[in-house]
Amino acid sequence: MQPPPISQADIESRIAAYLDELLTLWQTEQGLSKPRDLELMASVIPFQRDDPLRVLDLCCGPGDVGRAIRRAYTNARIDGVDRDPFLTALCRGINQRDRVPGRIVVRDLNDAGWNAAVAADYDVVAVVNALHWFAAERAEQLLGEVHRALRGGGVFLLTEPASAETPFADRFEAWKSSQPPRYSQQNWLEFWSRANAILGYDHVQLLGSRDDDRIGDENSVADWCGLVEVAGFESIDVLQRDADQVIVAAVKSA
Ligand SMILES: C[S@@+](CC[C@H](N)C(=O)[O-])C[C@H]1O[C@@H](n2cnc3c(N)ncnc32)[C@H](O)[C@@H]1O
């Protein structure tokens, strides 16, 4: 993405009075079922509730999954990485205000060496709605990097869009069209137009056009599980699959 016309400090100061408003608009845009999805992800982590977990929220955006884990694990430290200076500023602002410890860093995960900015012994790494923004080859490499960033016995949690396998795809799509949609263009516009107004420049324009070889919503549940397996994870489990997405959990062997 293109760099913003103002500094990170200016972004933080311009949004400081609007953290809750922006987060509410973001959560509306993310769909009604997201809180339940995040609660499920946090609930299955098989560690003691008072453990001082080290958690990495990869492609954190405003940091929803990190804070969901922190609600379940009140001693957790939540680090976050994302390429977007505005979304990371929103995450940092909310986490600092809510006294969630951890470091939120701006890095593009397409750049080699992004992981030098984070630890190498996380108890949990979570990715929500982000790996499908990458080309398949890069997503596979990233999962290997995630595997290396976890300690032995650490847990990986992944939520991504998932399509049905070919024999079921047409009927699955027909059924899906009868379901309440998760996303709406209107909610997307409301979040980003308010963000642009608060920031004082067109942030959306900086995001650039979508990368044509990105995975998008092409992967099936088996494709996501296959990528997780190739990265070396074990005990791979599908926690949930609905009309739009799949939630996968897996463990790095001890
Ligand atoms: C749909 S948002 C999800 C954000 C967050 N995980 C959540 O659930 O609210 C996708 C996120 O991936 C981030 N992202 C996309 N491509 C990236 C890249 N190459 N490097 C780092 N972050 C990236 C975006 O900036 C955005 O915050």
PDB file of all heavy atoms in Angstrom, residues 146-178:
ATOM      1  N   VAL A 146       4.798 -18.486  10.440  1.00  0.00           N
ATOM      2  CA  VAL A 146       3.966 -18.525  11.651  1.00  0.00           C
ATOM      3  C   VAL A 146       4.374 -19.725  12.513  1.00  0.00           C
ATOM      4  O   VAL A 146       4.521 -19.616  13.739  1.00  0.00           O
ATOM      5  CB  VAL A 146       2.462 -18.622  11.271  1.00  0.00           C
ATOM      6  CG1 VAL A 146       1.621 -19.037  12.459  1.00  0.00           C
ATOM      7  CG2 VAL A 146       1.977 -17.297  10.695  1.00  0.00           C
ATOM      8  N   HIS A 147       4.598 -20.866  11.854  1.00  0.00           N
ATOM      9  CA  HIS A 147       4.998 -22.077  12.578  1.00  0.00           C
ATOM     10  C   HIS A 147       6.290 -21.827  13.358  1.00  0.00           C
ATOM     11  O   HIS A 147       6.420 -22.198  14.523  1.00  0.00           O
ATOM     12  CB  HIS A 147       5.169 -23.223  11.567  1.00  0.00           C
ATOM     13  CG  HIS A 147       5.346 -24.571  12.185  1.00  0.00           C
ATOM     14  ND1 HIS A 147       6.586 -25.123  12.428  1.00  0.00           N
ATOM     15  CD2 HIS A 147       4.436 -25.477  12.621  1.00  0.00           C
ATOM     16  CE1 HIS A 147       6.430 -26.316  12.981  1.00  0.00           C
ATOM     17  NE2 HIS A 147       5.141 -26.559  13.111  1.00  0.00           N
ATOM     18  N   ARG A 148       7.235 -21.129  12.708  1.00  0.00           N
ATOM     19  CA  ARG A 148       8.516 -20.841  13.380  1.00  0.00           C
ATOM     20  C   ARG A 148       8.356 -19.826  14.506  1.00  0.00           C
ATOM     21  O   ARG A 148       9.154 -19.797  15.433  1.00  0.00           O
ATOM     22  CB  ARG A 148       9.554 -20.343  12.366  1.00  0.00           C
ATOM     23  CG  ARG A 148      10.062 -21.458  11.462  1.00  0.00           C
ATOM     24  CD  ARG A 148      11.270 -21.034  10.645  1.00  0.00           C
ATOM     25  NE  ARG A 148      10.936 -20.182   9.532  1.00  0.00           N
ATOM     26  CZ  ARG A 148      10.374 -20.586   8.389  1.00  0.00           C
ATOM     27  NH1 ARG A 148      10.078 -21.865   8.217  1.00  0.00           N
ATOM     28  NH2 ARG A 148      10.110 -19.743   7.413  1.00  0.00           N
ATOM     29  N   ALA A 149       7.323 -18.964  14.420  1.00  0.00           N
ATOM     30  CA  ALA A 149       7.121 -17.936  15.451  1.00  0.00           C
ATOM     31  C   ALA A 149       6.461 -18.492  16.710  1.00  0.00           C
ATOM     32  O   ALA A 149       6.365 -17.796  17.725  1.00  0.00           O
ATOM     33  CB  ALA A 149       6.280 -16.784  14.890  1.00  0.00           C
ATOM     34  N   LEU A 150       5.995 -19.757  16.638  1.00  0.00           N
ATOM     35  CA  LEU A 150       5.346 -20.382  17.795  1.00  0.00           C
ATOM     36  C   LEU A 150       6.330 -21.247  18.572  1.00  0.00           C
ATOM     37  O   LEU A 150       7.217 -21.854  17.985  1.00  0.00           O
ATOM     38  CB  LEU A 150       4.197 -21.276  17.333  1.00  0.00           C
ATOM     39  CG  LEU A 150       2.871 -20.585  17.010  1.00  0.00           C
ATOM     40  CD1 LEU A 150       1.995 -21.516  16.163  1.00  0.00           C
ATOM     41  CD2 LEU A 150       2.122 -20.209  18.294  1.00  0.00           C
ATOM     42  N   ARG A 151       6.129 -21.340  19.864  1.00  0.00           N
ATOM     43  CA  ARG A 151       6.888 -22.316  20.652  1.00  0.00           C
ATOM     44  C   ARG A 151       6.315 -23.708  20.393  1.00  0.00           C
ATOM     45  O   ARG A 151       5.180 -23.837  19.917  1.00  0.00           O
ATOM     46  CB  ARG A 151       6.794 -21.973  22.141  1.00  0.00           C
ATOM     47  CG  ARG A 151       5.392 -22.147  22.720  1.00  0.00           C
ATOM     48  CD  ARG A 151       5.438 -22.239  24.234  1.00  0.00           C
ATOM     49  NE  ARG A 151       4.135 -22.193  24.852  1.00  0.00           N
ATOM     50  CZ  ARG A 151       3.352 -23.255  25.070  1.00  0.00           C
ATOM     51  NH1 ARG A 151       3.718 -24.460  24.674  1.00  0.00           N
ATOM     52  NH2 ARG A 151       2.187 -23.114  25.666  1.00  0.00           N
ATOM     53  N   GLY A 152       7.063 -24.759  20.718  1.00  0.00           N
ATOM     54  CA  GLY A 152       6.527 -26.116  20.656  1.00  0.00           C
ATOM     55  C   GLY A 152       5.298 -26.202  21.561  1.00  0.00           C
ATOM     56  O   GLY A 152       5.330 -25.720  22.688  1.00  0.00           O
ATOM     57  N   GLY A 153       4.228 -26.793  21.059  1.00  0.00           N
ATOM     58  CA  GLY A 153       2.976 -26.873  21.825  1.00  0.00           C
ATOM     59  C   GLY A 153       2.094 -25.648  21.639  1.00  0.00           C
ATOM     60  O   GLY A 153       0.967 -25.616  22.141  1.00  0.00           O
ATOM     61  N   GLY A 154       2.591 -24.651  20.912  1.00  0.00           N
ATOM     62  CA  GLY A 154       1.806 -23.440  20.676  1.00  0.00           C
ATOM     63  C   GLY A 154       0.648 -23.701  19.714  1.00  0.00           C
ATOM     64  O   GLY A 154       0.634 -24.687  18.973  1.00  0.00           O
ATOM     65  N   VAL A 155      -0.321 -22.791  19.743  1.00  0.00           N
ATOM     66  CA  VAL A 155      -1.578 -22.986  19.010  1.00  0.00           C
ATOM     67  C   VAL A 155      -1.719 -21.949  17.899  1.00  0.00           C
ATOM     68  O   VAL A 155      -1.420 -20.767  18.100  1.00  0.00           O
ATOM     69  CB  VAL A 155      -2.767 -22.870  19.997  1.00  0.00           C
ATOM     70  CG1 VAL A 155      -4.094 -22.742  19.254  1.00  0.00           C
ATOM     71  CG2 VAL A 155      -2.793 -24.079  20.911  1.00  0.00           C
ATOM     72  N   PHE A 156      -2.176 -22.423  16.742  1.00  0.00           N
ATOM     73  CA  PHE A 156      -2.453 -21.536  15.616  1.00  0.00           C
ATOM     74  C   PHE A 156      -3.957 -21.525  15.351  1.00  0.00           C
ATOM     75  O   PHE A 156      -4.596 -22.578  15.301  1.00  0.00           O
ATOM     76  CB  PHE A 156      -1.702 -22.043  14.377  1.00  0.00           C
ATOM     77  CG  PHE A 156      -1.984 -21.244  13.134  1.00  0.00           C
ATOM     78  CD1 PHE A 156      -1.853 -19.858  13.141  1.00  0.00           C
ATOM     79  CD2 PHE A 156      -2.386 -21.870  11.974  1.00  0.00           C
ATOM     80  CE1 PHE A 156      -2.114 -19.115  12.000  1.00  0.00           C
ATOM     81  CE2 PHE A 156      -2.647 -21.131  10.820  1.00  0.00           C
ATOM     82  CZ  PHE A 156      -2.508 -19.748  10.843  1.00  0.00           C
ATOM     83  N   LEU A 157      -4.511 -20.321  15.199  1.00  0.00           N
ATOM     84  CA  LEU A 157      -5.946 -20.152  14.936  1.00  0.00           C
ATOM     85  C   LEU A 157      -6.122 -19.358  13.651  1.00  0.00           C
ATOM     86  O   LEU A 157      -5.477 -18.312  13.483  1.00  0.00           O
ATOM     87  CB  LEU A 157      -6.605 -19.392  16.095  1.00  0.00           C
ATOM     88  CG  LEU A 157      -6.524 -20.068  17.460  1.00  0.00           C
ATOM     89  CD1 LEU A 157      -6.849 -19.066  18.568  1.00  0.00           C
ATOM     90  CD2 LEU A 157      -7.470 -21.265  17.525  1.00  0.00           C
ATOM     91  N   LEU A 158      -6.992 -19.829  12.781  1.00  0.00           N
ATOM     92  CA  LEU A 158      -7.139 -19.214  11.460  1.00  0.00           C
ATOM     93  C   LEU A 158      -8.620 -19.119  11.092  1.00  0.00           C
ATOM     94  O   LEU A 158      -9.345 -20.104  11.192  1.00  0.00           O
ATOM     95  CB  LEU A 158      -6.429 -20.102  10.422  1.00  0.00           C
ATOM     96  CG  LEU A 158      -6.525 -19.686   8.968  1.00  0.00           C
ATOM     97  CD1 LEU A 158      -5.666 -18.465   8.686  1.00  0.00           C
ATOM     98  CD2 LEU A 158      -6.075 -20.834   8.059  1.00  0.00           C
ATOM     99  N   THR A 159      -9.036 -17.923  10.683  1.00  0.00           N
ATOM    100  CA  THR A 159     -10.386 -17.763  10.120  1.00  0.00           C
ATOM    101  C   THR A 159     -10.253 -17.162   8.735  1.00  0.00           C
ATOM    102  O   THR A 159      -9.619 -16.107   8.593  1.00  0.00           O
ATOM    103  CB  THR A 159     -11.230 -16.819  11.004  1.00  0.00           C
ATOM    104  OG1 THR A 159     -11.390 -17.406  12.279  1.00  0.00           O
ATOM    105  CG2 THR A 159     -12.602 -16.587  10.397  1.00  0.00           C
ATOM    106  N   GLU A 160     -10.810 -17.823   7.738  1.00  0.00           N
ATOM    107  CA  GLU A 160     -10.702 -17.319   6.362  1.00  0.00           C
ATOM    108  C   GLU A 160     -11.968 -17.659   5.574  1.00  0.00           C
ATOM    109  O   GLU A 160     -12.662 -18.627   5.906  1.00  0.00           O
ATOM    110  CB  GLU A 160      -9.491 -17.963   5.646  1.00  0.00           C
ATOM    111  CG  GLU A 160      -8.143 -17.557   6.183  1.00  0.00           C
ATOM    112  CD  GLU A 160      -7.806 -16.070   6.010  1.00  0.00           C
ATOM    113  OE1 GLU A 160      -8.351 -15.421   5.094  1.00  0.00           O
ATOM    114  OE2 GLU A 160      -7.009 -15.565   6.815  1.00  0.00           O
ATOM    115  N   PRO A 161     -12.235 -16.917   4.501  1.00  0.00           N
ATOM    116  CA  PRO A 161     -13.349 -17.287   3.627  1.00  0.00           C
ATOM    117  C   PRO A 161     -13.116 -18.670   3.022  1.00  0.00           C
ATOM    118  O   PRO A 161     -11.970 -19.009   2.714  1.00  0.00           O
ATOM    119  CB  PRO A 161     -13.307 -16.233   2.507  1.00  0.00           C
ATOM    120  CG  PRO A 161     -12.392 -15.171   2.970  1.00  0.00           C
ATOM    121  CD  PRO A 161     -11.496 -15.752   4.008  1.00  0.00           C
ATOM    122  N   ALA A 162     -14.175 -19.446   2.879  1.00  0.00           N
ATOM    123  CA  ALA A 162     -14.023 -20.788   2.294  1.00  0.00           C
ATOM    124  C   ALA A 162     -15.178 -21.092   1.352  1.00  0.00           C
ATOM    125  O   ALA A 162     -16.335 -20.794   1.659  1.00  0.00           O
ATOM    126  CB  ALA A 162     -13.964 -21.839   3.400  1.00  0.00           C
ATOM    127  N   SER A 163     -14.829 -21.673   0.208  1.00  0.00           N
ATOM    128  CA  SER A 163     -15.840 -22.100  -0.764  1.00  0.00           C
ATOM    129  C   SER A 163     -16.092 -23.595  -0.589  1.00  0.00           C
ATOM    130  O   SER A 163     -15.297 -24.300   0.033  1.00  0.00           O
ATOM    131  CB  SER A 163     -15.325 -21.869  -2.181  1.00  0.00           C
ATOM    132  OG  SER A 163     -15.045 -20.517  -2.360  1.00  0.00           O
ATOM    133  N   ALA A 164     -17.181 -24.048  -1.210  1.00  0.00           N
ATOM    134  CA  ALA A 164     -17.470 -25.486  -1.183  1.00  0.00           C
ATOM    135  C   ALA A 164     -16.613 -26.194  -2.233  1.00  0.00           C
ATOM    136  O   ALA A 164     -16.157 -25.580  -3.205  1.00  0.00           O
ATOM    137  CB  ALA A 164     -18.945 -25.711  -1.479  1.00  0.00           C
ATOM    138  N   GLU A 165     -16.406 -27.489  -2.045  1.00  0.00           N
ATOM    139  CA  GLU A 165     -15.730 -28.299  -3.064  1.00  0.00           C
ATOM    140  C   GLU A 165     -16.600 -28.349  -4.333  1.00  0.00           C
ATOM    141  O   GLU A 165     -17.840 -28.236  -4.255  1.00  0.00           O
ATOM    142  CB  GLU A 165     -15.504 -29.721  -2.536  1.00  0.00           C
ATOM    143  CG  GLU A 165     -14.541 -29.819  -1.360  1.00  0.00           C
ATOM    144  CD  GLU A 165     -13.082 -29.590  -1.745  1.00  0.00           C
ATOM    145  OE1 GLU A 165     -12.764 -29.599  -2.955  1.00  0.00           O
ATOM    146  OE2 GLU A 165     -12.262 -29.393  -0.834  1.00  0.00           O
ATOM    147  N   THR A 166     -15.953 -28.536  -5.487  1.00  0.00           N
ATOM    148  CA  THR A 166     -16.626 -28.401  -6.791  1.00  0.00           C
ATOM    149  C   THR A 166     -17.981 -29.116  -6.894  1.00  0.00           C
ATOM    150  O   THR A 166     -18.955 -28.503  -7.341  1.00  0.00           O
ATOM    151  CB  THR A 166     -15.676 -28.873  -7.913  1.00  0.00           C
ATOM    152  OG1 THR A 166     -14.456 -28.143  -7.765  1.00  0.00           O
ATOM    153  CG2 THR A 166     -16.258 -28.613  -9.295  1.00  0.00           C
ATOM    154  N   PRO A 167     -18.101 -30.395  -6.482  1.00  0.00           N
ATOM    155  CA  PRO A 167     -19.410 -31.052  -6.693  1.00  0.00           C
ATOM    156  C   PRO A 167     -20.550 -30.368  -5.933  1.00  0.00           C
ATOM    157  O   PRO A 167     -21.704 -30.524  -6.293  1.00  0.00           O
ATOM    158  CB  PRO A 167     -19.191 -32.474  -6.146  1.00  0.00           C
ATOM    159  CG  PRO A 167     -17.727 -32.645  -6.056  1.00  0.00           C
ATOM    160  CD  PRO A 167     -17.125 -31.286  -5.872  1.00  0.00           C
ATOM    161  N   PHE A 168     -20.200 -29.625  -4.876  1.00  0.00           N
ATOM    162  CA  PHE A 168     -21.244 -29.023  -4.039  1.00  0.00           C
ATOM    163  C   PHE A 168     -21.380 -27.516  -4.263  1.00  0.00           C
ATOM    164  O   PHE A 168     -22.264 -26.883  -3.696  1.00  0.00           O
ATOM    165  CB  PHE A 168     -20.910 -29.258  -2.548  1.00  0.00           C
ATOM    166  CG  PHE A 168     -20.589 -30.684  -2.252  1.00  0.00           C
ATOM    167  CD1 PHE A 168     -19.302 -31.078  -1.899  1.00  0.00           C
ATOM    168  CD2 PHE A 168     -21.579 -31.654  -2.360  1.00  0.00           C
ATOM    169  CE1 PHE A 168     -19.002 -32.402  -1.658  1.00  0.00           C
ATOM    170  CE2 PHE A 168     -21.282 -32.978  -2.116  1.00  0.00           C
ATOM    171  CZ  PHE A 168     -19.989 -33.363  -1.765  1.00  0.00           C
ATOM    172  N   ALA A 169     -20.471 -26.953  -5.086  1.00  0.00           N
ATOM    173  CA  ALA A 169     -20.334 -25.497  -5.134  1.00  0.00           C
ATOM    174  C   ALA A 169     -21.618 -24.790  -5.567  1.00  0.00           C
ATOM    175  O   ALA A 169     -22.045 -23.828  -4.933  1.00  0.00           O
ATOM    176  CB  ALA A 169     -19.177 -25.116  -6.051  1.00  0.00           C
ATOM    177  N   ASP A 170     -22.264 -25.271  -6.648  1.00  0.00           N
ATOM    178  CA  ASP A 170     -23.443 -24.565  -7.164  1.00  0.00           C
ATOM    179  C   ASP A 170     -24.566 -24.551  -6.130  1.00  0.00           C
ATOM    180  O   ASP A 170     -25.163 -23.512  -5.856  1.00  0.00           O
ATOM    181  CB  ASP A 170     -23.947 -25.218  -8.453  1.00  0.00           C
ATOM    182  CG  ASP A 170     -22.997 -24.935  -9.603  1.00  0.00           C
ATOM    183  OD1 ASP A 170     -22.104 -24.079  -9.432  1.00  0.00           O
ATOM    184  OD2 ASP A 170     -23.137 -25.588 -10.651  1.00  0.00           O
ATOM    185  N   ARG A 171     -24.837 -25.712  -5.559  1.00  0.00           N
ATOM    186  CA  ARG A 171     -25.946 -25.795  -4.595  1.00  0.00           C
ATOM    187  C   ARG A 171     -25.591 -25.062  -3.302  1.00  0.00           C
ATOM    188  O   ARG A 171     -26.451 -24.489  -2.652  1.00  0.00           O
ATOM    189  CB  ARG A 171     -26.299 -27.260  -4.307  1.00  0.00           C
ATOM    190  CG  ARG A 171     -26.805 -28.011  -5.529  1.00  0.00           C
ATOM    191  CD  ARG A 171     -28.188 -27.491  -5.939  1.00  0.00           C
ATOM    192  NE  ARG A 171     -28.593 -27.960  -7.246  1.00  0.00           N
ATOM    193  CZ  ARG A 171     -29.335 -29.051  -7.474  1.00  0.00           C
ATOM    194  NH1 ARG A 171     -29.736 -29.798  -6.479  1.00  0.00           N
ATOM    195  NH2 ARG A 171     -29.655 -29.380  -8.696  1.00  0.00           N
ATOM    196  N   PHE A 172     -24.305 -25.106  -2.956  1.00  0.00           N
ATOM    197  CA  PHE A 172     -23.882 -24.379  -1.752  1.00  0.00           C
ATOM    198  C   PHE A 172     -24.103 -22.881  -1.953  1.00  0.00           C
ATOM    199  O   PHE A 172     -24.631 -22.183  -1.076  1.00  0.00           O
ATOM    200  CB  PHE A 172     -22.403 -24.667  -1.449  1.00  0.00           C
ATOM    201  CG  PHE A 172     -21.929 -24.114  -0.125  1.00  0.00           C
ATOM    202  CD1 PHE A 172     -22.085 -24.843   1.044  1.00  0.00           C
ATOM    203  CD2 PHE A 172     -21.339 -22.861  -0.045  1.00  0.00           C
ATOM    204  CE1 PHE A 172     -21.664 -24.335   2.271  1.00  0.00           C
ATOM    205  CE2 PHE A 172     -20.916 -22.342   1.171  1.00  0.00           C
ATOM    206  CZ  PHE A 172     -21.078 -23.091   2.331  1.00  0.00           C
ATOM    207  N   GLU A 173     -23.714 -22.375  -3.137  1.00  0.00           N
ATOM    208  CA  GLU A 173     -23.902 -20.942  -3.439  1.00  0.00           C
ATOM    209  C   GLU A 173     -25.384 -20.586  -3.426  1.00  0.00           C
ATOM    210  O   GLU A 173     -25.770 -19.513  -2.959  1.00  0.00           O
ATOM    211  CB  GLU A 173     -23.281 -20.596  -4.799  1.00  0.00           C
ATOM    212  CG  GLU A 173     -21.765 -20.469  -4.766  1.00  0.00           C
ATOM    213  CD  GLU A 173     -21.252 -19.472  -3.738  1.00  0.00           C
ATOM    214  OE1 GLU A 173     -21.764 -18.340  -3.701  1.00  0.00           O
ATOM    215  OE2 GLU A 173     -20.356 -19.822  -2.959  1.00  0.00           O
ATOM    216  N   ALA A 174     -26.231 -21.487  -3.956  1.00  0.00           N
ATOM    217  CA  ALA A 174     -27.679 -21.221  -3.963  1.00  0.00           C
ATOM    218  C   ALA A 174     -28.200 -21.124  -2.534  1.00  0.00           C
ATOM    219  O   ALA A 174     -28.978 -20.225  -2.193  1.00  0.00           O
ATOM    220  CB  ALA A 174     -28.402 -22.319  -4.731  1.00  0.00           C
ATOM    221  N   TRP A 175     -27.745 -22.057  -1.690  1.00  0.00           N
ATOM    222  CA  TRP A 175     -28.165 -22.018  -0.283  1.00  0.00           C
ATOM    223  C   TRP A 175     -27.655 -20.739   0.392  1.00  0.00           C
ATOM    224  O   TRP A 175     -28.401 -20.053   1.090  1.00  0.00           O
ATOM    225  CB  TRP A 175     -27.625 -23.247   0.455  1.00  0.00           C
ATOM    226  CG  TRP A 175     -27.784 -23.137   1.945  1.00  0.00           C
ATOM    227  CD1 TRP A 175     -28.931 -23.318   2.663  1.00  0.00           C
ATOM    228  CD2 TRP A 175     -26.771 -22.773   2.879  1.00  0.00           C
ATOM    229  NE1 TRP A 175     -28.689 -23.088   3.998  1.00  0.00           N
ATOM    230  CE2 TRP A 175     -27.373 -22.755   4.154  1.00  0.00           C
ATOM    231  CE3 TRP A 175     -25.419 -22.455   2.771  1.00  0.00           C
ATOM    232  CZ2 TRP A 175     -26.664 -22.438   5.315  1.00  0.00           C
ATOM    233  CZ3 TRP A 175     -24.716 -22.125   3.920  1.00  0.00           C
ATOM    234  CH2 TRP A 175     -25.333 -22.128   5.179  1.00  0.00           C
ATOM    235  N   LYS A 176     -26.377 -20.404   0.093  1.00  0.00           N
ATOM    236  CA  LYS A 176     -25.761 -19.227   0.720  1.00  0.00           C
ATOM    237  C   LYS A 176     -26.547 -17.957   0.377  1.00  0.00           C
ATOM    238  O   LYS A 176     -26.695 -17.070   1.205  1.00  0.00           O
ATOM    239  CB  LYS A 176     -24.304 -19.123   0.233  1.00  0.00           C
ATOM    240  CG  LYS A 176     -23.544 -17.974   0.806  1.00  0.00           C
ATOM    241  CD  LYS A 176     -22.096 -18.045   0.362  1.00  0.00           C
ATOM    242  CE  LYS A 176     -21.389 -16.727   0.631  1.00  0.00           C
ATOM    243  NZ  LYS A 176     -19.976 -16.788   0.346  1.00  0.00           N
ATOM    244  N   SER A 177     -27.064 -17.894  -0.869  1.00  0.00           N
ATOM    245  CA  SER A 177     -27.780 -16.671  -1.271  1.00  0.00           C
ATOM    246  C   SER A 177     -29.094 -16.519  -0.514  1.00  0.00           C
ATOM    247  O   SER A 177     -29.686 -15.446  -0.506  1.00  0.00           O
ATOM    248  CB  SER A 177     -28.011 -16.655  -2.782  1.00  0.00           C
ATOM    249  OG  SER A 177     -28.880 -17.700  -3.115  1.00  0.00           O
ATOM    250  N   SER A 178     -29.532 -17.590   0.154  1.00  0.00           N
ATOM    251  CA  SER A 178     -30.757 -17.485   0.953  1.00  0.00           C
ATOM    252  C   SER A 178     -30.445 -17.105   2.404  1.00  0.00           C
ATOM    253  O   SER A 178     -31.352 -16.922   3.209  1.00  0.00           O
ATOM    254  CB  SER A 178     -31.504 -18.826   0.942  1.00  0.00           C
ATOM    255  OG  SER A 178     -30.788 -19.772   1.727  1.00  0.00           O
TER     256      SER A 178
END
